Amino acid sequence: MSTSHPRRGNTRQRIQDVALELFSEQGYEKTSLREIAEKLEVTKAALYYHFKTKEDIVISLFEDLRGPIDTLIAWGELQPRTLGTKQELIRRYSDSLRDAAPLFRFMQENQATVRDLAIGDTFKERMHTLFDLLREPEAELTDQVRCITALFSIHAGMFAMQNVAGDPEEKRRAILEVATELVTAANPPSHRRPARPDSAQTASS
Amino acid sequence: MSTSHPRRGNTRQRIQDVALELFSEQGYEKTSLREIAEKLEVTKAALYYHFKTKEDIVISLFEDLRGPIDTLIAWGELQPRTLGTKQELIRRYSDSLRDAAPLFRFMQENQATVRDLAIGDTFKERMHTLFDLLREPEAELTDQVRCITALFSIHAGMFAMQNVAGDPEEKRRAILEVATELVTAANPPSHRRPARPDSAQTASS
Amino acid sequence: MSTSHPRRGNTRQRIQDVALELFSEQGYEKTSLREIAEKLEVTKAALYYHFKTKEDIVISLFEDLRGPIDTLIAWGELQPRTLGTKQELIRRYSDSLRDAAPLFRFMQENQATVRDLAIGDTFKERMHTLFDLLREPEAELTDQVRCITALFSIHAGMFAMQNVAGDPEEKRRAILEVATELVTAANPPSHRRPARPDSAQTASS
Amino acid sequence: MSTSHPRRGNTRQRIQDVALELFSEQGYEKTSLREIAEKLEVTKAALYYHFKTKEDIVISLFEDLRGPIDTLIAWGELQPRTLGTKQELIRRYSDSLRDAAPLFRFMQENQATVRDLAIGDTFKERMHTLFDLLREPEAELTDQVRCITALFSIHAGMFAMQNVAGDPEEKRRAILEVATELVTAANPPSHRRPARPDSAQTASS
DNA sequence: AATGAATGAGGGTTCATTCAT
DNA sequence: CATGAATGAACCCTCATTCAT
């Protein structure tokens, strides 16, 4: 019985899956509830049984991310503000996003939409907190840029590199390496030997 | 007479201005032609006198960018593939974009939309060509990432840093510096001392 | 309850009825969906719940005809190609159309529209097949004309005779008689006794 | 000067030509003034210099027909109501239409449109008068049908036979022959031998 | 847990038409 | 003789949403 008709209590989940797929493929506005419903072979009205509005679907998608990131931030705030912490921070961040690639693609490609989606502010704020954990407020402008770029490369890197050959996981590691390098460069050893602004300490050690 | 009836030859331009403003503020899909028309105090139909379709307005906006970028690419292809060329390339690129900030914000925040806007492919291609001018095909994956990140930081940096205090032009220069640093690191001196490809040559000298 | 809220299962049918009425009265292009909707006291959107497009409404109208005509053609193709068959063919054809008068009026008066309505080709083809069942390919040109005229008179006759007094059913029979006469004349008794169906003296001399 | 720029005083004529071509090809409603203007490489506004409205263009097209037909009717009304007159009447009618084929195609295929185009009534009336000249009011219903069919076959025949092979002029003559035959049959010799109303007297007697 | 039927608002687009120049 | 610029009305269509069943 349960096997012949595979849709049971999982409809909510299936809606989320299809929605995320379509949102990230075509964009939020270009994806209509009709389309989602059709792909699921249910009625539009069925979607409304599970979600109050279209926006609610998106919100529910982001909820999966919120947990991990909040955890990450909480962790970060308890650590000492050392370079090591920062490096670990972005390592963990990159980790968190690995599974959430489609959602991030969606966020990345629909910023204009996400911006006024209420959830947008929430995330912007999270990003800002993360950014604050990475940078030194008093640091040079370039260092601030390095931190932001590090964060950004983690977000956007995967999609930007779709045309570049290579195993996804390898790519992610490469991106992480560069991001780490940037964070490292942005946090010069206040008392390390003045020299080296360089990079990629991670790998060498 | 000429003041009372504002029918001057500038309508097309005014449409572009308002459209770009609204597109980049609210997103492409969320901006209706009615809205644009109202802000201009003309009829929707007037827009259609000047542009064949909504998409056509966007296309016309992008056309302003095409020239400069094509020129840049043409220049790049004539130069020797040295580090100096590459550094100059992104310097010029950053320059080109300075005036086109709103358009780039639009592009950045409406990727999902731009993607299937036909003009999207054109630009993706341009990006790719630029990318090819920066990277060495045989280089390590991390170096490829550095190049892409450099390009990206120029695109997205300005908007990402809206919350960071500072003069826009100073920010731009900071971003350029980091981007240059990344490109430099990505193109290790084949014959420089074998050791560490350290970066930020620009600033230090 | 059922009377106060007329939401019954008949809306689709009602749309077809009203649409046919208006299409045949005013023409396809001159009839807007708004008009149809208003006459039905529903929203335009309601029409779209039942039909994918305006053209789809027309198609659905024609579908009622397709069956009978296809049946007729199928029958015709199984019969021997005798004069009797042909006479019976147009008798049955005239019968089929009796109930479809408004639809045929529509077709007759909106040929330019129907032509590029996709359904147009379908019907043209059916007409051609019918025509082929009536005529002898090797026959004189005048005989071909007789056959086509027979078919046409059945189509157009009713509308052409709206100003002529008389009971509709009587008119139909009169038209059928003339059409039969034409088909008969077009299929001269290769070797029938010389007597009868006059006409076409021209050829014989 | 006049040769290099071939449009001089003939613009009005050229508008009519193009309009008729497009109207009869695509239908009246489907043909926009923009389209006509584009094909002529003038502005829409230019059309309005020559014609007050879209409908005016159609009216002007029909004006070319009015003369010949009115002449024909005037002639017919002066003749004795003999079979010979009637035969001659449709012969002349067929002649008149020969040159006006596209216009008649337009009329034939856009009846719904023509109907409420004001000119429509005018033509309907003409048709009716012609019909009255052909038929005997007291005659049998079938005879009325014969007359109407005769008239109709002249109108519609050419287009209906587009798929039938043959020289256009030959087709026209064949149609005329059948039409004559019908009119002949519809006007039985009150005092000819009572028997069978055979037709096609034209050629014989 | 889901559907069938419908709505209201709005989308982009096209049209015939006008009028100052 | 013709254009450039614009309008107002209408068009077909799609959307997110609702609600009785």
Side-chain angles (χ1 to χ4, degrees):
Chain A
M1 255 154 246
S2 61
T3 47
S4 70
H5 229 352
R7 52 181 89 120
R8 253 230 324 292
N10 58 341
T11 304
R12 201 188 137 93
Q13 179 65 47
R14 290 174 60 228
I15 293 173
Q16 288 177 312
D17 292 348
V18 169
L20 178 50
E21 184 188 335
L22 293 179
F23 285 163
S24 91
E25 245 171 45
Q26 322 178 330
Y28 176 75
E29 341 263 353
K30 290 273 259 290
T31 302
S32 69
L33 295 187
R34 176 179 55 65
E35 210 175 347
I36 296 176
E38 260 166 24
K39 194 154 189 172
L40 284 167
E41 293 181 298
V42 290
T43 350
K44 265 184 292 174
L47 305 184
Y48 279 89
Y49 178 81
H50 293 282
F51 298 93
K52 235 175 36 214
T53 76
K54 189 185 182 186
E55 185 171 345
D56 251 43
I57 300 181
V58 174
I59 293 177
S60 86
L61 292 174
F62 276 92
E63 232 124 65
D64 293 350
L65 262 189
R66 220 170 142 162
I69 290 188
D70 282 359
T71 306
L72 179 59
I73 287 177
W75 174 87
E77 280 170 339
L78 292 177
Q79 304 308 113
R81 287 183 78 84
T82 67
L83 174 57
T85 296
K86 292 174 182 174
Q87 289 167 338
E88 179 67 9
L89 206 59
I90 68 160
R91 207 188 55 71
R92 292 190 182 200
Y93 190 52
S94 172
D95 258 29
S96 301
L97 301 197
R98 181 175 18 201
D99 313 316
L103 187 53
F104 259 80
R105 181 180 174 196
F106 166 70
M107 222 169 96
Q108 193 62 29
E109 298 191 342
N110 294 270
Q111 289 176 60
T113 298
V114 169
R115 192 158 12 108
D116 62 13
L117 226 49
I119 203 81
D121 288 335
T122 308
F123 254 81
K124 204 165 190 171
E125 203 194 307
R126 293 300 187 282
M127 287 310 308
H128 221 71
T129 311
L130 261 175
F131 176 46
D132 282 340
L133 287 174
L134 289 180
R135 67 163 177 169
E136 295 300 319
E138 306 297 325
E140 307 263 334
L141 203 51
T142 41
D143 285 334
Q144 314 260 15
V145 172
R146 283 188 187 95
C147 290
I148 276 202
T149 304
L151 239 32
F152 242 72
S153 66
I154 291 180
H155 283 178
M158 294 308 288
F159 314 114
M161 298 193 69
Q162 259 161 346
N163 307 315
V164 178
D167 169 65
E169 181 57 16
E170 268 183 54
K171 286 192 217 166
R172 193 186 65 90
R173 272 200 296 262
I175 292 168
L176 175 56
E177 194 179 323
V178 172
T180 305
E181 185 179 305
L182 280 161
V183 168
T184 306
N187 289 271
S190 321
H191 311 97
R192 275 194 271 164
R193 279 130 294 155
R196 320 272 351 280
D198 52 14
S199 41
Q201 232 56 2
T202 319
S204 65
S205 110
Chain B
M1 248 157 251
S2 61
T3 47
S4 71
H5 236 342
R7 277 176 194 160
R8 275 218 305 292
N10 59 340
T11 305
R12 198 189 139 95
Q13 179 66 48
R14 288 173 61 227
I15 293 173
Q16 289 177 313
D17 292 348
V18 169
L20 179 50
E21 185 188 334
L22 294 179
F23 285 164
S24 90
E25 247 171 44
Q26 323 179 330
Y28 178 75
E29 344 262 354
K30 290 276 258 292
T31 304
S32 72
L33 294 187
R34 177 182 53 68
E35 210 174 347
I36 297 176
E38 262 166 23
K39 193 155 189 170
L40 284 167
E41 295 183 295
V42 290
T43 345
K44 266 190 293 173
L47 305 185
Y48 278 90
Y49 177 77
H50 295 282
F51 297 94
K52 252 195 349 248
T53 101
K54 188 186 182 186
E55 184 172 345
D56 246 47
I57 300 182
V58 175
I59 292 177
S60 85
L61 293 174
F62 276 92
E63 232 125 66
D64 293 349
L65 264 189
R66 221 171 140 160
I69 292 189
D70 282 359
T71 307
L72 179 58
I73 287 177
W75 175 86
E77 279 170 340
L78 291 177
Q79 304 308 114
R81 289 182 76 84
T82 67
L83 175 57
T85 296
K86 292 173 183 174
Q87 289 167 338
E88 178 68 9
L89 206 58
I90 68 160
R91 205 187 58 71
R92 294 191 181 201
Y93 190 51
S94 172
D95 258 29
S96 302
L97 302 197
R98 182 175 19 204
D99 313 316
L103 186 52
F104 259 80
R105 180 179 173 200
F106 165 70
M107 220 170 100
Q108 195 61 30
E109 299 191 342
N110 294 270
Q111 289 177 60
T113 299
V114 170
R115 187 149 27 99
D116 60 13
L117 226 49
I119 202 83
D121 288 336
T122 307
F123 256 80
K124 205 166 190 171
E125 203 194 308
R126 293 298 186 284
M127 289 310 311
H128 221 71
T129 310
L130 262 174
F131 177 47
D132 282 340
L133 287 174
L134 289 180
R135 67 162 178 169
E136 296 298 318
E138 306 296 326
E140 308 260 334
L141 202 50
T142 42
D143 285 333
Q144 315 260 15
V145 172
R146 283 187 187 96
C147 291
I148 274 199
T149 303
L151 240 32
F152 243 72
S153 65
I154 292 180
H155 281 177
M158 295 307 288
F159 316 114
M161 297 193 70
Q162 259 161 343
N163 307 315
V164 178
D167 169 65
E169 181 57 15
E170 268 183 53
K171 285 192 218 166
R172 192 186 67 88
R173 271 200 296 262
I175 292 167
L176 175 56
E177 194 179 322
V178 173
T180 305
E181 186 179 305
L182 281 162
V183 168
T184 306
N187 289 271
S190 320
H191 311 98
R192 276 196 269 166
R193 276 134 293 154
R196 308 273 2 282
D198 55 7
S199 44
Q201 232 61 359
T202 320
S204 66
S205 108
Chain C
M1 252 153 251
S2 62
T3 47
S4 70
H5 236 341
R7 278 175 193 161
R8 275 217 307 291
N10 58 340
T11 305
R12 198 189 140 96
Q13 179 67 46
R14 288 173 61 226
I15 293 173
Q16 289 177 312
D17 292 348
V18 170
L20 179 50
E21 185 188 333
L22 294 180
F23 285 164
S24 91
E25 246 171 44
Q26 321 178 333
Y28 177 77
E29 343 263 354
K30 289 277 257 292
T31 303
S32 71
L33 294 188
R34 178 180 53 69
E35 208 174 348
I36 297 176
E38 262 166 21
K39 193 155 189 170
L40 284 167
E41 291 182 300
V42 291
T43 344
K44 266 187 292 171
L47 305 186
Y48 279 91
Y49 177 78
H50 294 281
F51 297 94
K52 254 196 349 250
T53 96
K54 188 185 182 186
E55 183 171 346
D56 246 47
I57 301 182
V58 175
I59 293 176
S60 85
L61 293 174
F62 275 93
E63 231 125 65
D64 293 350
L65 263 189
R66 220 171 142 159
I69 292 189
D70 282 359
T71 307
L72 179 59
I73 287 178
W75 175 86
E77 280 170 340
L78 291 178
Q79 304 309 112
R81 288 183 76 85
T82 66
L83 174 57
T85 296
K86 291 173 182 176
Q87 288 167 337
E88 178 67 9
L89 205 60
I90 68 158
R91 205 187 57 71
R92 292 189 181 203
Y93 189 52
S94 171
D95 257 29
S96 301
L97 301 197
R98 179 170 26 198
D99 313 315
L103 186 53
F104 260 80
R105 181 178 172 201
F106 166 70
M107 221 170 97
Q108 194 62 29
E109 298 191 342
N110 293 271
Q111 289 176 61
T113 298
V114 170
R115 188 151 23 103
D116 61 13
L117 226 49
I119 203 84
D121 287 335
T122 307
F123 255 81
K124 203 166 192 173
E125 203 195 308
R126 293 298 187 285
M127 287 312 310
H128 220 71
T129 310
L130 262 174
F131 176 46
D132 282 340
L133 286 173
L134 289 180
R135 68 163 177 166
E136 295 299 319
E138 306 295 326
E140 307 263 335
L141 202 51
T142 40
D143 286 333
Q144 315 260 14
V145 172
R146 282 186 187 96
C147 290
I148 274 201
T149 303
L151 239 31
F152 243 72
S153 66
I154 291 179
H155 282 175
M158 295 308 288
F159 316 113
M161 297 193 71
Q162 258 161 343
N163 306 316
V164 178
D167 169 65
E169 181 56 17
E170 269 183 53
K171 287 193 216 166
R172 192 186 66 89
R173 270 200 296 264
I175 292 168
L176 175 56
E177 194 180 323
V178 173
T180 306
E181 187 179 303
L182 280 162
V183 168
T184 306
N187 289 270
S190 320
H191 310 97
R192 276 194 275 161
R193 278 133 292 158
R196 305 281 348 278
D198 46 24
S199 66
Q201 235 57 1
T202 317
S204 65
S205 104
Chain D
M1 247 161 251
S2 61
T3 47
S4 71
H5 229 353
R7 52 181 88 120
R8 253 232 321 293
N10 58 341
T11 304
R12 198 187 138 95
Q13 178 66 44
R14 289 174 61 230
I15 293 174
Q16 289 177 312
D17 291 348
V18 168
L20 178 51
E21 184 188 333
L22 293 180
F23 286 164
S24 91
E25 246 171 45
Q26 323 177 331
Y28 177 76
E29 341 263 354
K30 290 274 259 291
T31 303
S32 70
L33 294 188
R34 177 181 53 66
E35 210 175 346
I36 297 176
E38 259 165 25
K39 194 154 189 172
L40 284 167
E41 293 180 297
V42 291
T43 348
K44 264 185 292 171
L47 304 184
Y48 278 89
Y49 178 81
H50 294 281
F51 297 94
K52 235 174 38 212
T53 75
K54 189 185 182 186
E55 184 171 346
D56 250 44
I57 301 182
V58 175
I59 294 176
S60 85
L61 292 174
F62 276 93
E63 232 124 65
D64 293 350
L65 262 189
R66 221 171 140 160
I69 292 188
D70 282 0
T71 307
L72 179 58
I73 287 177
W75 176 86
E77 280 169 340
L78 292 177
Q79 303 308 115
R81 288 183 76 84
T82 66
L83 174 57
T85 295
K86 292 174 183 177
Q87 288 169 337
E88 178 67 10
L89 205 58
I90 69 158
R91 206 186 56 71
R92 293 189 180 202
Y93 190 52
S94 171
D95 257 28
S96 302
L97 302 197
R98 180 172 24 199
D99 312 315
L103 186 53
F104 260 78
R105 181 179 171 198
F106 165 70
M107 222 171 97
Q108 193 63 28
E109 299 191 343
N110 294 270
Q111 289 176 60
T113 298
V114 170
R115 189 150 23 101
D116 60 13
L117 225 49
I119 202 84
D121 288 336
T122 309
F123 254 81
K124 204 165 190 173
E125 204 194 309
R126 292 300 187 285
M127 287 310 309
H128 221 71
T129 311
L130 260 175
F131 177 46
D132 282 340
L133 286 174
L134 289 180
R135 68 165 177 166
E136 294 299 318
E138 306 296 325
E140 309 260 334
L141 202 50
T142 42
D143 286 334
Q144 315 259 16
V145 171
R146 283 187 185 95
C147 289
I148 274 201
T149 303
L151 238 32
F152 242 72
S153 66
I154 291 180
H155 282 177
M158 293 309 287
F159 315 113
M161 297 193 71
Q162 257 161 346
N163 307 316
V164 178
D167 169 67
E169 181 56 19
E170 269 184 52
K171 286 192 216 165
R172 192 186 68 89
R173 270 200 295 263
I175 292 168
L176 175 56
E177 193 179 323
V178 172
T180 305
E181 183 181 305
L182 281 162
V183 167
T184 307
N187 289 271
S190 321
H191 310 101
R192 278 196 270 165
R193 275 134 292 155
R196 307 281 359 279
D198 56 8
S199 44
Q201 235 58 3
T202 318
S204 65
S205 115

